[in-house]
Amino acid sequence: MNKELDPETAEELHELYAELHLTCGRAAAALRLSGNWDAPMDEMLERYHQEEARAEAIWQRINKLRSGA
């Protein structure tokens, strides 16, 4: 991304990166909890996969904004 960002795009990217950060944190927590005896492994792994898919969708939105599409 070599061009200047307009304030609206910069704000949207900021929000997307913040959302991505939180989503990755939730995915990491679910993955960590999937090995915990107190948490149902299948449920935690499913939550991990959902958060992973959400993170991928956010990353695609970021790339689309960065490319100017």
Side-chain angles (χ1 to χ4, degrees):
M1 184 167 55
N2 294 328
K3 60 181 181 175
E4 286 189 36
L5 293 175
D6 63 87
E8 185 178 307
T9 301
E11 180 63 26
E12 188 171 356
L13 280 172
H14 178 269
E15 290 175 12
L16 286 170
Y17 277 112
E19 186 178 344
L20 180 63
H21 177 77
L22 293 172
T23 301
C24 289
R26 287 190 303 265
L31 187 59
R32 172 71 59 154
L33 290 173
S34 70
N36 186 338
W37 289 103
D38 296 336
M41 182 189 284
D42 291 342
E43 180 183 331
M44 290 296 109
L45 286 175
E46 177 60 28
R47 288 177 67 182
Y48 164 74
H49 291 297
Q50 289 172 353
E51 295 299 340
E52 185 179 47
R54 185 175 293 131
E56 184 174 348
I58 294 167
W59 187 246
Q60 289 174 359
R61 287 168 43 204
I62 289 170
N63 282 327
K64 186 176 178 181
L65 273 177
R66 290 177 59 197
S67 69

